Amino acid sequence: MPAYSFPKDFLWGAASASYQTEGGAGDGGKGESIWDRFSHIPGNIADGANGDAACDFCHRFEEDISLLRRLGLKAYRMSASWPRIFPQGAGEINREGVEFYRRVLKCLRDNGIKSAVTIYHWDLPQALQNRGGWANREIVGWFKNYAEALYAELGDLVDMWITVNEPIIAAMNGHWLGEHAPGYRDYSHALLAAHHMLMAHGAAVKAYRQTGLKAEIGCSMNMQMEYPANPDDSRDVEAARIMMLHQNRFYLDAVYKGRYPAEFLDRLKARGVTLPAVLDGDMETISQKLDFFGINTYFSEYVRYDETRWPVFASAVKTERPKTSLGWELCPDGFFDLMKWTHDNYRPDKIVITENGAAGNDWVNSSGRVEDPGRREYLKQYLIEVNRAIGAGINIAGYFVWSFCDNFEWAQGLSARFGLVHVDYKTQRRTIKDSAYWLSDVVKNSGFDA
Ligand code: FCB
């Protein structure tokens, strides 16, 4: 038995998302998304790239699925593109879009790979953005309508559903920090978007329960532990506590406890934030019972008090820990703390790690290999913690590496490579990286040795 062994039915997967991989921007009747719009505005994307072609998954999904199979991965996480299904966000459905996803899902099934479909991974139809997007409460209904169409059209082929990917990032990076589409910079606006995303999540789960479909449904939250930069400085300790509220508790309290943390809302209000209108029934909508809870996580943060960062007054500092090519710090012990914190505070029936992985500056060497020891080490260290969490009685049922292929990494463009598989964007040639071969052995052996 390997030193770190995993249950035989552990769900080993790799993850992706529509805008980041599909390409085919104008193909198949797809409508414009906020990411199509945002990535074409000069200055928004670090390397000037966009997702027009990305990894051309639209035309190469059979090749990608055969690579998944070759690596022995058991599951593939992908998202449906809302404007590929409803080019205008609502109204007439685009049959070509539906048929595309049916082909992909059938191909996965034929290859014995489970599908995990994210309903929303950030590519909102621009037509809905023009009507206020996530700041317009009507979006809850638009989203429910879209989710119901997916259940009806794809439900027979989907093994796991994920509602909204990372409400915090879509809300905050897109509406407070201005780094993601639609590119606003207003905390109050972001908080309103977050409330509507959580409602959309709940409304989609509620609607799913009416369908009679048996696949599991859950969410994917972006989470990380927030530690004080200087544990002896009470202001840093308080900053870390606030960041735990901002990053994690706001979302998990809503989903699992049916309320937002009052002390956080009071504090924001006192600092001049306009709080979202929470109407009767909203919290009930949000706090639906989930079949699994998805954690997306990459690093932990060490935070200090920062008087310039309204309204949270906290910001992260760099530490001496090793960093990936995006400067994200390795903190595997923080990952363990995060799983334990989630389990202790919210008791989800089941946790799935729906994203975890490392960015690298990877290339194909002269012998045709991609050597990525940093990623292998990252995966190993993080999987050791998953193993430890399972040993501690926390029900972690699966682990999805972000990402299957290198892809369009949002504001970072094509230069941050997260894939298990290298993509040459000029030729679209795929090369399996060394870390993927390592992971493939881990899957085969249900574990690994130190
Ligand atoms: C997550 C996103 C995913 C990917 C990784 C690196 O926040 O969900 O699409 O960009 O970060």
Side-chain angles (χ1 to χ4, degrees):
M1 198 151 98
Y4 298 99
S5 75
F6 288 79
K8 282 278 176 263
D9 59 353
F10 192 72
L11 196 63
W12 297 98
S16 69
S18 47
Y19 188 71
Q20 295 180 277
T21 59
E22 282 180 1
D27 290 5
K30 178 184 164 295
E32 188 190 14
S33 80
I34 56 173
W35 271 96
D36 291 309
R37 178 74 59 100
F38 184 81
S39 65
H40 279 87
I41 296 172
N44 279 348
I45 309 299
D47 61 2
N50 58 59
D52 286 2
C55 327
D56 197 30
F57 179 78
C58 256
H59 304 105
R60 289 167 204 266
F61 66 86
E62 283 163 331
E63 179 187 353
D64 286 347
I65 292 171
S66 75
L67 292 176
L68 279 161
R69 181 183 175 152
R70 181 164 157 207
L71 292 170
L73 291 169
K74 312 276 183 229
Y76 185 60
R77 178 177 170 219
M78 55 184 264
S79 72
S81 157
W82 188 344
R84 202 179 280 290
I85 300 290
F86 287 109
Q88 296 305 312
E92 204 174 327
I93 196 163
N94 174 31
R95 298 300 328 164
E96 265 189 89
V98 169
E99 287 315 317
F100 165 65
Y101 291 116
R102 289 199 63 84
R103 283 200 302 280
V104 173
L105 292 166
K106 273 194 190 124
C107 184
L108 285 167
R109 194 155 276 186
D110 291 347
N111 281 278
I113 296 162
K114 289 202 161 130
S115 57
V117 173
T118 312
I119 298 172
Y120 182 72
H121 202 128
W122 306 355
D123 40 0
L124 184 74
Q126 181 64 41
L128 297 183
Q129 185 60 50
N130 297 346
R131 296 162 74 183
W134 286 106
N136 182 345
R137 193 179 162 94
E138 277 185 69
I139 199 164
V140 180
W142 302 332
F143 187 80
K144 175 170 171 279
N145 172 65
Y146 161 55
E148 284 173 334
L150 292 186
Y151 304 150
E153 301 287 350
L154 310 177
D156 57 323
L157 293 170
V158 174
D159 297 299
M160 270 167 88
W161 291 98
I162 293 166
T163 54
V164 177
N165 181 67
E166 301 184 350
I168 188 173
I169 304 294
M172 294 294 156
N173 295 39
H175 303 78
W176 175 37
L177 303 174
E179 293 165 357
H180 283 184
Y184 295 122
R185 290 178 180 274
D186 177 344
Y187 193 95
S188 304
H189 192 109
L191 209 63
L192 182 62
H195 178 57
H196 293 155
M197 283 177 202
L198 287 166
M199 282 185 65
H201 151 80
V205 176
K206 224 171 166 173
Y208 184 71
R209 301 298 183 205
Q210 306 300 312
T211 64
L213 290 165
K214 292 284 170 282
E216 298 192 328
I217 190 163
C219 59
S220 283
M221 294 288 181
N222 178 286
M223 298 176 69
Q224 67 229 8
M225 290 304 285
E226 307 282 348
Y227 302 109
N230 177 1
D232 297 326
D233 183 333
S234 60
R235 294 187 316 171
D236 287 8
V237 172
E238 179 63 1
R241 203 178 69 78
I242 297 306
M243 286 305 283
M244 281 300 276
L245 283 157
H246 164 82
Q247 177 75 35
N248 306 312
R249 282 193 47 203
F250 180 81
Y251 301 88
L252 278 82
D253 278 16
V255 168
Y256 279 100
K257 301 187 171 165
R259 58 178 144 79
Y260 291 124
E263 57 157 330
F264 185 55
L265 294 187
D266 292 348
R267 197 187 156 96
L268 291 175
K269 194 169 172 200
R271 281 160 178 71
V273 171
T274 306
L275 299 181
V278 177
L279 306 187
D280 275 357
D282 285 7
M283 300 315 292
E284 185 271 331
T285 297
I286 294 172
S287 55
Q288 299 298 308
K289 182 155 172 47
L290 303 180
D291 300 317
F292 65 90
F293 180 75
I295 296 182
N296 294 357
T297 192
Y298 292 88
F299 48 77
S300 301
E301 279 187 339
Y302 287 80
V303 297
R304 64 176 173 85
Y305 171 73
D306 179 354
E307 64 180 15
T308 68
R309 201 148 174 268
W310 180 88
V312 290
F313 297 106
S315 60
V317 299
K318 290 283 170 216
T319 73
E320 293 310 308
R321 290 176 182 257
K323 293 166 186 52
T324 69
S325 74
L326 278 182
W328 297 3
E329 298 187 347
L330 266 75
C331 191
D333 41 335
F335 181 34
F336 177 82
D337 288 353
L338 181 67
M339 292 182 277
K340 186 160 166 37
W341 181 85
T342 304
H343 173 79
D344 290 348
N345 287 285
Y346 302 99
R347 301 271 156 185
D349 293 338
K350 180 155 110 179
I351 295 175
V352 176
I353 308 305
T354 41
E355 279 183 32
N356 180 237
N361 171 28
D362 311 312
W363 65 85
V364 182
N365 72 15
S366 50
S367 33
R369 266 178 64 189
V370 181
E371 295 175 285
D372 59 339
R375 177 171 299 100
R376 187 190 53 212
E377 187 56 26
Y378 181 102
L379 296 177
K380 188 171 180 179
Q381 291 192 22
Y382 275 66
L383 282 169
I384 287 173
E385 301 305 325
V386 172
N387 187 268
R388 180 150 78 104
I390 295 172
I394 304 171
N395 185 9
I396 314 282
Y399 176 91
F400 288 72
V401 176
W402 183 271
S403 176
F404 178 58
C405 275
D406 292 340
N407 60 55
F408 177 79
E409 177 46 35
W410 309 115
Q412 304 300 325
L414 293 170
S415 32
R417 294 178 175 275
F418 272 92
L420 291 168
V421 173
H422 180 273
V423 175
D424 177 333
Y425 294 110
K426 286 211 175 66
T427 60
Q428 290 295 348
R429 193 186 148 86
R430 273 59 169 154
T431 308
I432 294 176
K433 299 182 191 178
D434 283 2
S435 61
Y437 289 117
W438 176 80
L439 185 70
S440 179
D441 283 342
V442 172
V443 177
K444 204 182 324 151
N445 302 324
S446 292
F448 55 93
D449 286 315

mmCIF file with all atom_site columns, all heavy atoms in Angstrom, residues 352-369:
data_model
loop_
_atom_site.group_PDB
_atom_site.id
_atom_site.type_symbol
_atom_site.label_atom_id
_atom_site.label_alt_id
_atom_site.label_comp_id
_atom_site.label_asym_id
_atom_site.label_entity_id
_atom_site.label_seq_id
_atom_site.pdbx_PDB_ins_code
_atom_site.Cartn_x
_atom_site.Cartn_y
_atom_site.Cartn_z
_atom_site.occupancy
_atom_site.B_iso_or_equiv
_atom_site.pdbx_formal_charge
_atom_site.auth_seq_id
_atom_site.auth_comp_id
_atom_site.auth_asym_id
_atom_site.auth_atom_id
_atom_site.pdbx_PDB_model_num
ATOM 1   N N   . VAL A 1 352 ? -15.704 18.244 -2.118  1.00 0.00 ? 352 VAL A N   1
ATOM 2   C CA  . VAL A 1 352 ? -14.900 17.894 -3.283  1.00 0.00 ? 352 VAL A CA  1
ATOM 3   C C   . VAL A 1 352 ? -13.979 19.084 -3.540  1.00 0.00 ? 352 VAL A C   1
ATOM 4   O O   . VAL A 1 352 ? -14.443 20.236 -3.528  1.00 0.00 ? 352 VAL A O   1
ATOM 5   C CB  . VAL A 1 352 ? -15.793 17.642 -4.530  1.00 0.00 ? 352 VAL A CB  1
ATOM 6   C CG1 . VAL A 1 352 ? -14.934 17.377 -5.760  1.00 0.00 ? 352 VAL A CG1 1
ATOM 7   C CG2 . VAL A 1 352 ? -16.740 16.459 -4.287  1.00 0.00 ? 352 VAL A CG2 1
ATOM 8   N N   . ILE A 1 353 ? -12.705 18.827 -3.739  1.00 0.00 ? 353 ILE A N   1
ATOM 9   C CA  . ILE A 1 353 ? -11.805 19.915 -4.121  1.00 0.00 ? 353 ILE A CA  1
ATOM 10  C C   . ILE A 1 353 ? -12.013 20.089 -5.630  1.00 0.00 ? 353 ILE A C   1
ATOM 11  O O   . ILE A 1 353 ? -11.583 19.248 -6.420  1.00 0.00 ? 353 ILE A O   1
ATOM 12  C CB  . ILE A 1 353 ? -10.328 19.582 -3.797  1.00 0.00 ? 353 ILE A CB  1
ATOM 13  C CG1 . ILE A 1 353 ? -10.178 19.144 -2.324  1.00 0.00 ? 353 ILE A CG1 1
ATOM 14  C CG2 . ILE A 1 353 ? -9.426  20.767 -4.136  1.00 0.00 ? 353 ILE A CG2 1
ATOM 15  C CD1 . ILE A 1 353 ? -10.706 20.116 -1.293  1.00 0.00 ? 353 ILE A CD1 1
ATOM 16  N N   . THR A 1 354 ? -12.715 21.154 -5.999  1.00 0.00 ? 354 THR A N   1
ATOM 17  C CA  . THR A 1 354 ? -13.093 21.313 -7.407  1.00 0.00 ? 354 THR A CA  1
ATOM 18  C C   . THR A 1 354 ? -12.046 22.091 -8.203  1.00 0.00 ? 354 THR A C   1
ATOM 19  O O   . THR A 1 354 ? -12.145 22.129 -9.431  1.00 0.00 ? 354 THR A O   1
ATOM 20  C CB  . THR A 1 354 ? -14.496 21.947 -7.540  1.00 0.00 ? 354 THR A CB  1
ATOM 21  O OG1 . THR A 1 354 ? -14.632 22.987 -6.567  1.00 0.00 ? 354 THR A OG1 1
ATOM 22  C CG2 . THR A 1 354 ? -15.576 20.918 -7.297  1.00 0.00 ? 354 THR A CG2 1
ATOM 23  N N   . GLU A 1 355 ? -11.067 22.686 -7.517  1.00 0.00 ? 355 GLU A N   1
ATOM 24  C CA  . GLU A 1 355 ? -9.926  23.304 -8.202  1.00 0.00 ? 355 GLU A CA  1
ATOM 25  C C   . GLU A 1 355 ? -8.760  23.416 -7.247  1.00 0.00 ? 355 GLU A C   1
ATOM 26  O O   . GLU A 1 355 ? -8.919  23.879 -6.124  1.00 0.00 ? 355 GLU A O   1
ATOM 27  C CB  . GLU A 1 355 ? -10.233 24.742 -8.654  1.00 0.00 ? 355 GLU A CB  1
ATOM 28  C CG  . GLU A 1 355 ? -11.004 24.875 -9.923  1.00 0.00 ? 355 GLU A CG  1
ATOM 29  C CD  . GLU A 1 355 ? -11.203 26.341 -10.325 1.00 0.00 ? 355 GLU A CD  1
ATOM 30  O OE1 . GLU A 1 355 ? -10.333 27.186 -10.031 1.00 0.00 ? 355 GLU A OE1 1
ATOM 31  O OE2 . GLU A 1 355 ? -12.243 26.618 -10.927 1.00 0.00 ? 355 GLU A OE2 1
ATOM 32  N N   . ASN A 1 356 ? -7.596  23.039 -7.735  1.00 0.00 ? 356 ASN A N   1
ATOM 33  C CA  . ASN A 1 356 ? -6.352  23.298 -7.023  1.00 0.00 ? 356 ASN A CA  1
ATOM 34  C C   . ASN A 1 356 ? -5.231  23.033 -8.025  1.00 0.00 ? 356 ASN A C   1
ATOM 35  O O   . ASN A 1 356 ? -5.322  22.098 -8.813  1.00 0.00 ? 356 ASN A O   1
ATOM 36  C CB  . ASN A 1 356 ? -6.226  22.352 -5.804  1.00 0.00 ? 356 ASN A CB  1
ATOM 37  C CG  . ASN A 1 356 ? -4.937  22.557 -5.008  1.00 0.00 ? 356 ASN A CG  1
ATOM 38  O OD1 . ASN A 1 356 ? -4.153  21.632 -4.814  1.00 0.00 ? 356 ASN A OD1 1
ATOM 39  N ND2 . ASN A 1 356 ? -4.716  23.764 -4.562  1.00 0.00 ? 356 ASN A ND2 1
ATOM 40  N N   . GLY A 1 357 ? -4.205  23.844 -8.011  1.00 0.00 ? 357 GLY A N   1
ATOM 41  C CA  . GLY A 1 357 ? -3.128  23.624 -8.974  1.00 0.00 ? 357 GLY A CA  1
ATOM 42  C C   . GLY A 1 357 ? -2.158  24.789 -8.974  1.00 0.00 ? 357 GLY A C   1
ATOM 43  O O   . GLY A 1 357 ? -2.273  25.712 -8.172  1.00 0.00 ? 357 GLY A O   1
ATOM 44  N N   . ALA A 1 358 ? -1.204  24.734 -9.877  1.00 0.00 ? 358 ALA A N   1
ATOM 45  C CA  . ALA A 1 358 ? -0.107  25.703 -9.875  1.00 0.00 ? 358 ALA A CA  1
ATOM 46  C C   . ALA A 1 358 ? 0.164   26.226 -11.279 1.00 0.00 ? 358 ALA A C   1
ATOM 47  O O   . ALA A 1 358 ? 0.178   25.481 -12.242 1.00 0.00 ? 358 ALA A O   1
ATOM 48  C CB  . ALA A 1 358 ? 1.156   25.032 -9.325  1.00 0.00 ? 358 ALA A CB  1
ATOM 49  N N   . ALA A 1 359 ? 0.422   27.530 -11.346 1.00 0.00 ? 359 ALA A N   1
ATOM 50  C CA  . ALA A 1 359 ? 0.811   28.145 -12.624 1.00 0.00 ? 359 ALA A CA  1
ATOM 51  C C   . ALA A 1 359 ? 2.305   27.949 -12.823 1.00 0.00 ? 359 ALA A C   1
ATOM 52  O O   . ALA A 1 359 ? 3.079   27.956 -11.868 1.00 0.00 ? 359 ALA A O   1
ATOM 53  C CB  . ALA A 1 359 ? 0.503   29.636 -12.595 1.00 0.00 ? 359 ALA A CB  1
ATOM 54  N N   . GLY A 1 360 ? 2.704   27.783 -14.067 1.00 0.00 ? 360 GLY A N   1
ATOM 55  C CA  . GLY A 1 360 ? 4.124   27.649 -14.357 1.00 0.00 ? 360 GLY A CA  1
ATOM 56  C C   . GLY A 1 360 ? 4.440   28.303 -15.681 1.00 0.00 ? 360 GLY A C   1
ATOM 57  O O   . GLY A 1 360 ? 3.545   28.616 -16.474 1.00 0.00 ? 360 GLY A O   1
ATOM 58  N N   . ASN A 1 361 ? 5.727   28.500 -15.901 1.00 0.00 ? 361 ASN A N   1
ATOM 59  C CA  . ASN A 1 361 ? 6.175   29.022 -17.191 1.00 0.00 ? 361 ASN A CA  1
ATOM 60  C C   . ASN A 1 361 ? 6.770   27.820 -17.924 1.00 0.00 ? 361 ASN A C   1
ATOM 61  O O   . ASN A 1 361 ? 7.984   27.657 -17.989 1.00 0.00 ? 361 ASN A O   1
ATOM 62  C CB  . ASN A 1 361 ? 7.196   30.133 -16.918 1.00 0.00 ? 361 ASN A CB  1
ATOM 63  C CG  . ASN A 1 361 ? 7.871   30.576 -18.179 1.00 0.00 ? 361 ASN A CG  1
ATOM 64  O OD1 . ASN A 1 361 ? 7.308   30.481 -19.270 1.00 0.00 ? 361 ASN A OD1 1
ATOM 65  N ND2 . ASN A 1 361 ? 9.105   31.049 -18.048 1.00 0.00 ? 361 ASN A ND2 1
ATOM 66  N N   . ASP A 1 362 ? 5.899   26.962 -18.439 1.00 0.00 ? 362 ASP A N   1
ATOM 67  C CA  . ASP A 1 362 ? 6.354   25.653 -18.941 1.00 0.00 ? 362 ASP A CA  1
ATOM 68  C C   . ASP A 1 362 ? 6.599   25.690 -20.442 1.00 0.00 ? 362 ASP A C   1
ATOM 69  O O   . ASP A 1 362 ? 5.885   26.377 -21.166 1.00 0.00 ? 362 ASP A O   1
ATOM 70  C CB  . ASP A 1 362 ? 5.273   24.593 -18.666 1.00 0.00 ? 362 ASP A CB  1
ATOM 71  C CG  . ASP A 1 362 ? 4.781   24.625 -17.234 1.00 0.00 ? 362 ASP A CG  1
ATOM 72  O OD1 . ASP A 1 362 ? 5.620   24.664 -16.321 1.00 0.00 ? 362 ASP A OD1 1
ATOM 73  O OD2 . ASP A 1 362 ? 3.543   24.639 -17.023 1.00 0.00 ? 362 ASP A OD2 1
ATOM 74  N N   . TRP A 1 363 ? 7.575   24.931 -20.895 1.00 0.00 ? 363 TRP A N   1
ATOM 75  C CA  . TRP A 1 363 ? 7.807   24.829 -22.342 1.00 0.00 ? 363 TRP A CA  1
ATOM 76  C C   . TRP A 1 363 ? 8.180   23.409 -22.713 1.00 0.00 ? 363 TRP A C   1
ATOM 77  O O   . TRP A 1 363 ? 8.562   22.620 -21.844 1.00 0.00 ? 363 TRP A O   1
ATOM 78  C CB  . TRP A 1 363 ? 8.878   25.823 -22.775 1.00 0.00 ? 363 TRP A CB  1
ATOM 79  C CG  . TRP A 1 363 ? 10.225  25.552 -22.199 1.00 0.00 ? 363 TRP A CG  1
ATOM 80  C CD1 . TRP A 1 363 ? 11.178  24.697 -22.685 1.00 0.00 ? 363 TRP A CD1 1
ATOM 81  C CD2 . TRP A 1 363 ? 10.785  26.123 -21.008 1.00 0.00 ? 363 TRP A CD2 1
ATOM 82  N NE1 . TRP A 1 363 ? 12.287  24.711 -21.886 1.00 0.00 ? 363 TRP A NE1 1
ATOM 83  C CE2 . TRP A 1 363 ? 12.082  25.581 -20.855 1.00 0.00 ? 363 TRP A CE2 1
ATOM 84  C CE3 . TRP A 1 363 ? 10.320  27.054 -20.061 1.00 0.00 ? 363 TRP A CE3 1
ATOM 85  C CZ2 . TRP A 1 363 ? 12.915  25.936 -19.780 1.00 0.00 ? 363 TRP A CZ2 1
ATOM 86  C CZ3 . TRP A 1 363 ? 11.155  27.397 -19.010 1.00 0.00 ? 363 TRP A CZ3 1
ATOM 87  C CH2 . TRP A 1 363 ? 12.421  26.839 -18.880 1.00 0.00 ? 363 TRP A CH2 1
ATOM 88  N N   . VAL A 1 364 ? 8.077   23.131 -24.008 1.00 0.00 ? 364 VAL A N   1
ATOM 89  C CA  . VAL A 1 364 ? 8.448   21.810 -24.514 1.00 0.00 ? 364 VAL A CA  1
ATOM 90  C C   . VAL A 1 364 ? 9.948   21.838 -24.772 1.00 0.00 ? 364 VAL A C   1
ATOM 91  O O   . VAL A 1 364 ? 10.441  22.715 -25.482 1.00 0.00 ? 364 VAL A O   1
ATOM 92  C CB  . VAL A 1 364 ? 7.689   21.504 -25.828 1.00 0.00 ? 364 VAL A CB  1
ATOM 93  C CG1 . VAL A 1 364 ? 8.021   20.107 -26.339 1.00 0.00 ? 364 VAL A CG1 1
ATOM 94  C CG2 . VAL A 1 364 ? 6.179   21.648 -25.622 1.00 0.00 ? 364 VAL A CG2 1
ATOM 95  N N   . ASN A 1 365 ? 10.681  20.900 -24.176 1.00 0.00 ? 365 ASN A N   1
ATOM 96  C CA  . ASN A 1 365 ? 12.147  20.944 -24.323 1.00 0.00 ? 365 ASN A CA  1
ATOM 97  C C   . ASN A 1 365 ? 12.590  20.252 -25.609 1.00 0.00 ? 365 ASN A C   1
ATOM 98  O O   . ASN A 1 365 ? 11.779  19.747 -26.385 1.00 0.00 ? 365 ASN A O   1
ATOM 99  C CB  . ASN A 1 365 ? 12.839  20.408 -23.067 1.00 0.00 ? 365 ASN A CB  1
ATOM 100 C CG  . ASN A 1 365 ? 12.691  18.902 -22.917 1.00 0.00 ? 365 ASN A CG  1
ATOM 101 O OD1 . ASN A 1 365 ? 12.315  18.200 -23.857 1.00 0.00 ? 365 ASN A OD1 1
ATOM 102 N ND2 . ASN A 1 365 ? 12.977  18.410 -21.723 1.00 0.00 ? 365 ASN A ND2 1
ATOM 103 N N   . SER A 1 366 ? 13.909  20.204 -25.820 1.00 0.00 ? 366 SER A N   1
ATOM 104 C CA  . SER A 1 366 ? 14.426  19.720 -27.110 1.00 0.00 ? 366 SER A CA  1
ATOM 105 C C   . SER A 1 366 ? 14.130  18.238 -27.319 1.00 0.00 ? 366 SER A C   1
ATOM 106 O O   . SER A 1 366 ? 14.157  17.759 -28.443 1.00 0.00 ? 366 SER A O   1
ATOM 107 C CB  . SER A 1 366 ? 15.925  19.980 -27.204 1.00 0.00 ? 366 SER A CB  1
ATOM 108 O OG  . SER A 1 366 ? 16.545  19.492 -26.039 1.00 0.00 ? 366 SER A OG  1
ATOM 109 N N   . SER A 1 367 ? 13.833  17.514 -26.239 1.00 0.00 ? 367 SER A N   1
ATOM 110 C CA  . SER A 1 367 ? 13.451  16.115 -26.478 1.00 0.00 ? 367 SER A CA  1
ATOM 111 C C   . SER A 1 367 ? 11.933  15.921 -26.451 1.00 0.00 ? 367 SER A C   1
ATOM 112 O O   . SER A 1 367 ? 11.434  14.805 -26.314 1.00 0.00 ? 367 SER A O   1
ATOM 113 C CB  . SER A 1 367 ? 14.169  15.173 -25.500 1.00 0.00 ? 367 SER A CB  1
ATOM 114 O OG  . SER A 1 367 ? 14.358  15.788 -24.267 1.00 0.00 ? 367 SER A OG  1
ATOM 115 N N   . GLY A 1 368 ? 11.206  17.032 -26.538 1.00 0.00 ? 368 GLY A N   1
ATOM 116 C CA  . GLY A 1 368 ? 9.761   16.918 -26.667 1.00 0.00 ? 368 GLY A CA  1
ATOM 117 C C   . GLY A 1 368 ? 9.026   16.745 -25.349 1.00 0.00 ? 368 GLY A C   1
ATOM 118 O O   . GLY A 1 368 ? 7.826   16.462 -25.328 1.00 0.00 ? 368 GLY A O   1
ATOM 119 N N   . ARG A 1 369 ? 9.745   16.917 -24.230 1.00 0.00 ? 369 ARG A N   1
ATOM 120 C CA  . ARG A 1 369 ? 9.093   16.749 -22.925 1.00 0.00 ? 369 ARG A CA  1
ATOM 121 C C   . ARG A 1 369 ? 8.797   18.086 -22.281 1.00 0.00 ? 369 ARG A C   1
ATOM 122 O O   . ARG A 1 369 ? 9.475   19.072 -22.544 1.00 0.00 ? 369 ARG A O   1
ATOM 123 C CB  . ARG A 1 369 ? 10.043  15.990 -21.987 1.00 0.00 ? 369 ARG A CB  1
ATOM 124 C CG  . ARG A 1 369 ? 9.803   14.488 -21.971 1.00 0.00 ? 369 ARG A CG  1
ATOM 125 C CD  . ARG A 1 369 ? 10.810  13.813 -21.068 1.00 0.00 ? 369 ARG A CD  1
ATOM 126 N NE  . ARG A 1 369 ? 10.694  14.209 -19.663 1.00 0.00 ? 369 ARG A NE  1
ATOM 127 C CZ  . ARG A 1 369 ? 11.587  13.878 -18.733 1.00 0.00 ? 369 ARG A CZ  1
ATOM 128 N NH1 . ARG A 1 369 ? 12.655  13.160 -19.051 1.00 0.00 ? 369 ARG A NH1 1
ATOM 129 N NH2 . ARG A 1 369 ? 11.416  14.248 -17.483 1.00 0.00 ? 369 ARG A NH2 1
#
